[in-house]
Amino acid sequence: MKRKILLISSLAVALALAAFIYFRFYFVFGEGVKAGELNFVVYKGYLFKTYEGRAIQAGFAKGNKGTASVVQSYEFDFSITDEAVADSLMRCSGKTVELHYKEYLGALPWKGQQKYIVDRIIAVN
């Protein structure tokens, strides 16, 4: 009887852990397109070398009461898993790009440092 309870408990814990890992690191939480000026794309890392990039998005922020809106920039930090996409982006530094990305709830070291993974380039201007 104890053996059966231990087996069922172990199986339940293993399934819960597998579900947690799947939803945290492999489940695509969101997809979208972001546009901005490509700041950099680098290949870096100590143990796992990954492609990391940043795009700067200009926008307007609402000013305080009675003041005008101000220009504010947002940084979109992302990782790239596809080497061909990374190579193409490395030649686009300083250009305005539209990037399709997938958002995960967590990052795995071998997939990149960011929870946003760029999987393709939509447009380069």
Side-chain angles (χ1 to χ4, degrees), residues 51-93:
Y51 292 98
E52 307 296 326
R54 176 179 292 154
I56 307 296
Q57 301 172 285
F60 290 100
K62 192 173 184 178
N64 292 337
K65 201 173 199 179
T67 63
S69 295
V70 294
V71 175
Q72 182 176 357
S73 65
Y74 300 97
E75 294 178 351
F76 173 56
D77 292 323
F78 57 88
S79 298
I80 309 164
T81 56
D82 187 349
E83 188 175 347
V85 172
D87 287 341
S88 296
L89 282 175
M90 283 184 175
R91 293 187 294 273
C92 296
S93 187

Side-chain angles (χ1 to χ4, degrees), residues 24-26 41-53 77-82 86 102-118:
R24 179 81 178 162
F25 300 110
Y26 293 99
V41 173
V42 295
Y43 185 62
K44 67 179 185 177
Y46 293 110
L47 186 58
F48 298 104
K49 297 280 189 188
T50 59
Y51 292 98
E52 307 296 326
D77 292 323
F78 57 88
S79 298
I80 309 164
T81 56
D82 187 349
K102 292 181 180 178
E103 179 182 1
Y104 297 90
L105 297 175
L108 290 169
W110 53 87
K111 288 176 72 178
Q113 297 176 355
Q114 307 301 323
K115 64 181 186 174
Y116 299 102
I117 306 291
V118 168

